Amino acid sequence: MKAVQKLENGPGHIACVDIPEPAVTPGSVKIRVEWSGICGSDLHYYHGDVPMAVPITLGHEFSGVVAEVGEGVQAFAVGDRVTTETAKESCGTCTHCRSGLYSLCTQRRALGQQVNGAMQEYVVMPEARVHKVPDNVSLEAAALTEPACVAWHAVVDLCKVAPGDTAVVIGPGPIGMLCAQVLTACGAFVVLVGKARHQKRLALAQQLGADMALASDEVDCVAKVMELTGGFGADFVFECSGQDEGVDQGIGMLRKGGTLVEVGVTSPKGSFISAFLPAVLKEINIQGSFSHRYPNWDRVLLMMSRGKLNTEALITGKYSFAECQAAFDVKDKIKTLMHP
């Protein structure tokens, strides 16, 4: 079968190759992949920023159709339209797993990271990690369920966002755009911050419900947020850029006792030391956010079905696996999908 693999560590080294088709096992579901998204983490792997055990199939955001079910599977049948979670394996016995927080399991093995991922024709996943896609949700939209769940986890699971709260999202990438939509659904006043080069994304975010969009290289965003809140500051900042500048800026925007949620993947070479003193003086709460939880999936898919969460609007390009090099090299994209 066809698969997009990272063949060697270092910049580049991806190709569409032929690999053996995986076999269904008891308790698992074999899925024919229809669409697989390119995540920011896939781009890090592509550019050689993170060493991997190679060769490995990339990708962990996808949708497809059930092609075969293993012995004992009850919830799915051939032909079902589905999407799946990222964690293919976890130990099942540690405190995190027993608490339903298997994304924090130290033995977690994820698609496209420790095991072959979703940029291949067929994927086999445990029944417990598979979710049905509502009939009125396209498989293209469903391929972005995973990043939508990342946003949902950050906003809903980890924060008590209330109607009328002021929430700033820094970074208009897919996760930031989705956080803005979830915050809007929670009733918050949402400000999305990007750069002047992100004008199309900032405009789209407002079309999708954000109350305001600011370019930080054109506007003093800290001053603007303080003006909007009568000098009080934002209740929440969701930092989705992973940049030092975003962390410093976010702490400057927060009210005393406010919460900074770090959703972006920060560089190990970065330093947030300049932000520490104001964070201490303002008693800022700093919350890390990673991956998602099982309940997020049914909620997100329901919101998509009801038209309250629009993932399809973020899709800016579609390519075949054979065109993987072009797909990974696309500039100024929000979300690129690939198909076999």
Side-chain angles (χ1 to χ4, degrees), residues 239 242-249 251 260 262 265-277 286:
E239 205 296 304
Q243 302 297 313
D244 289 12
E245 176 189 356
V247 177
D248 287 346
Q249 194 176 61
I251 289 175
L260 174 77
E262 186 56 44
V265 179
T266 56
S267 167
K269 298 178 182 178
S271 172
F272 305 146
I273 194 67
S274 62
F276 285 173
L277 181 58
I286 298 177

Side-chain angles (χ1 to χ4, degrees), residues 44-57:
H44 283 303
Y45 303 143
Y46 171 57
H47 291 300
D49 300 333
V50 182
M52 310 181 74
V54 292
I56 188 169
T57 303

Side-chain angles (χ1 to χ4, degrees), residues 2-297:
K2 290 180 288 186
V4 176
Q5 291 204 323
K6 176 78 173 177
L7 301 176
E8 299 178 33
N9 280 308
H13 304 301
I14 65 163
C16 182
V17 298
D18 287 319
I19 64 172
E21 188 174 307
V24 72
T25 55
S28 70
V29 177
K30 183 173 181 177
I31 302 161
R32 184 182 76 249
V33 174
E34 294 291 333
W35 295 101
S36 181
I38 298 178
C39 176
S41 60
D42 295 315
L43 292 173
H44 283 303
Y45 303 143
Y46 171 57
H47 291 300
D49 300 333
V50 182
M52 310 181 74
V54 292
I56 188 169
T57 303
L58 298 176
H60 57 268
E61 312 169 355
F62 80 106
S63 62
V65 176
V66 174
E68 188 178 352
V69 296
E71 181 183 351
V73 170
Q74 300 292 323
F76 299 94
V78 173
D80 284 345
R81 301 161 70 250
V82 296
T83 183
T84 86
E85 299 177 41
T86 302
K88 184 170 185 178
E89 302 172 13
S90 59
C91 75
T93 59
C94 70
T95 298
H96 297 306
C97 286
R98 290 180 182 275
S99 302
L101 307 178
Y102 42 80
S103 286
L104 301 181
C105 175
T106 56
Q107 297 183 47
R108 173 183 182 266
R109 286 163 59 82
L111 290 175
Q113 299 172 37
Q114 292 84 30
V115 298
N116 277 342
M119 293 181 188
Q120 57 186 42
E121 291 185 71
Y122 292 93
V123 171
V124 173
M125 288 292 287
E127 179 182 19
R129 300 287 188 267
V130 183
H131 299 265
K132 289 183 180 177
V133 174
D135 291 341
N136 66 338
V137 175
S138 72
L139 287 176
E140 290 94 334
L144 274 68
T145 308
E146 194 273 344
C149 288
V150 170
W152 188 276
H153 175 57
V155 173
V156 179
D157 292 339
L158 300 178
C159 300
K160 295 180 179 178
V161 178
D165 281 345
T166 299
V168 179
V169 179
I170 299 176
I175 299 297
M177 301 277 276
L178 289 164
C179 280
Q181 288 193 56
V182 176
L183 285 162
T184 297
C186 291
F189 183 92
V190 180
V191 179
L192 184 67
V193 174
K195 298 288 188 180
R197 67 178 184 271
H198 297 142
Q199 285 297 342
K200 290 183 179 179
R201 299 185 185 198
L202 298 177
L204 176 60
Q206 290 187 281
Q207 293 173 25
L208 295 173
D211 297 284
M212 183 174 292
L214 303 173
S216 62
D217 45 355
E218 294 183 344
V219 177
D220 183 338
C221 294
V222 174
K224 186 63 177 177
V225 170
M226 288 300 173
E227 177 189 332
L228 287 168
T229 58
F232 191 64
D235 300 288
F236 296 93
V237 170
F238 292 81
E239 205 296 304
C240 300
S241 73
Q243 302 297 313
D244 289 12
E245 176 189 356
V247 177
D248 287 346
Q249 194 176 61
I251 289 175
M253 293 174 178
L254 280 165
R255 65 171 173 81
K256 293 180 179 180
T259 299
L260 174 77
V261 186
E262 186 56 44
V263 191
V265 179
T266 56
S267 167
K269 298 178 182 178
S271 172
F272 305 146
I273 194 67
S274 62
F276 285 173
L277 181 58
V280 170
L281 296 178
K282 293 169 70 173
E283 291 194 353
I284 297 300
N285 303 296
I286 298 177
Q287 172 70 60
S289 182
F290 173 70
S291 197
H292 35 69
R293 299 176 184 173
Y294 179 86
N296 304 153
W297 291 75

